[in-house]
Amino acid sequence: MYDDHTYECYVEIANPLGQQEGKHAPRLRFPVSVPEKYEAEIIDVVMGEQVGVNSKGKPIFEYQPYTVEIKRKNGEYYIHLIYEEEVYGRELAYDEPIQAERIAGIDIHIDRIAVSIVSKQGNFIKSKVFYCHKLEYVRANKRNNIIGETVRDVYDWLLQENVGAVAIENIQLRQQHDTDKRFNRLTHHFKKKKLTETILRRGLRPGFCIKKVNPAYTSVIGRFKYMKKYGLSVHESAAFVIGRRGLGYREQLPKELIHIIKTKVKRHLIAVLGSMEESYKQSKSGKKQRQYIAMMLYKIENFKQEHEWSLWNILHKCCWLNQYQIQLKEG
């Protein structure tokens, strides 16, 4: 409840112990401290909106449905207000085209959110990184505050830049985190999922159209194709690829990368096969590696018929960047 005379929020609870026969139970009223940043939003929910007057001239109010939960923690009582948000944006289907003139690709990591703005024609406009380093080690209650504040900063910037749509990773399609420690992987995934959900929910409020895309090889493509070209970090270049993918653009390998795969990478794979000891070739792991290398060599020979992701995967497995120079991985 909100008292517009005292300008205070409070909660009323029926007291059945004081109820007299044939009468309603008396109400107990307790003041509630509301954080300033949520005050206006909560008042809008609990105050209702006047929609007319009755036959006696008294105002008729229409209220938004909400639920109140009271929880006790460390000797203090907390009010949880649950209600449905009114949103003006919507989530686009996988094959639904984006109509906005400017789209933001967002690459989400546990310690930062990289955002790159892309034109409708797929050209790079600008990028920015929003850091949230503390997210890795703070407790859950502080984590939610950090996520909320960081995501708010992201959308404030996008509104200033006249961005109308956002492309984010579909984390359900995300490849497993590169670690064998299951606990660390699950913890990382949980925090990233929370960030993604907040970006989706907060973006729908002011009217952004949001599209989830397959994140496969976005970092690899960004690193080898766009990082040097635009002077971006690997995360900003991945965000650029995500934005382009949201617009429906496919990422073909440039001619110079095709040349490297057909020459350096091919010679390297053949050399690896030739250097295998006979005993290792006949072992289970050796046979598996030979089959894998043979598959990559086949895809290189028939690259025009292969999906571009196959070639990006070969580049990722065999090459790395050193000062923007492509070098072969050892082993």
Side-chain angles (χ1 to χ4, degrees), residues 92 98-105 158 162-167 207-211:
L92 301 179
I98 292 174
Q99 302 298 334
E101 291 298 320
R102 286 186 168 199
I103 178 175
L158 294 182
N162 297 316
V163 171
V166 170
F208 287 95
C209 290
I210 299 182
K211 188 173 186 177

Side-chain angles (χ1 to χ4, degrees), residues 84-251:
E84 290 188 4
E85 291 182 303
E86 187 175 4
V87 298
Y88 299 94
R90 65 188 185 91
E91 186 176 346
L92 301 179
Y94 179 77
D95 57 350
E96 189 174 356
I98 292 174
Q99 302 298 334
E101 291 298 320
R102 286 186 168 199
I103 178 175
I106 299 183
D107 184 53
I108 304 165
H109 288 264
I110 192 60
D111 62 342
R112 72 196 66 191
I113 300 174
V115 186
S116 291
I117 300 176
V118 189
S119 71
K120 195 173 183 178
Q121 294 73 34
N123 298 319
F124 175 77
I125 297 176
K126 62 169 56 176
S127 65
K128 189 173 182 179
V129 179
F130 299 82
Y131 293 97
C132 44
H133 296 301
K134 293 181 180 179
L135 199 60
E136 295 184 79
Y137 55 83
V138 297
R139 293 184 178 181
N141 58 337
K142 290 186 178 179
R143 187 187 307 149
N144 291 337
N145 290 337
I146 293 172
I147 289 174
E149 291 171 1
T150 307
V151 173
R152 180 198 62 201
D153 292 342
V154 169
Y155 281 115
D156 284 348
W157 183 64
L158 294 182
L159 286 170
Q160 292 173 11
E161 297 296 332
N162 297 316
V163 171
V166 170
I168 60 175
E169 301 168 304
N170 186 343
I171 59 173
Q172 293 179 338
L173 302 176
R174 187 74 179 179
Q175 295 170 345
Q176 284 193 340
H177 190 49
D178 294 330
T179 176
D180 293 327
K181 296 181 179 179
R182 183 173 180 272
F183 176 78
N184 287 345
R185 185 170 69 245
L186 291 176
T187 302
H188 179 97
H189 177 78
F190 172 78
K191 293 174 183 176
K192 186 168 182 178
K193 183 180 178 183
K194 181 70 175 177
L195 268 170
T196 305
E197 289 173 347
T198 304
I199 287 172
L200 177 62
R201 188 177 69 253
R202 292 287 183 91
L204 294 175
R205 286 182 187 175
F208 287 95
C209 290
I210 299 182
K211 188 173 186 177
K212 292 179 180 178
V213 301
N214 191 325
Y217 304 106
T218 51
S219 295
V220 177
I221 296 168
R223 182 184 297 114
F224 284 102
K225 190 173 183 180
Y226 296 117
M227 194 164 72
K228 180 181 179 180
K229 183 177 182 180
Y230 295 113
L232 304 174
S233 69
V234 65
H235 302 303
E236 289 170 299
S237 55
F240 178 54
V241 176
I242 290 169
R244 282 174 53 85
R245 190 166 292 177
L247 288 164
Y249 289 100
R250 298 178 64 174
E251 299 292 350

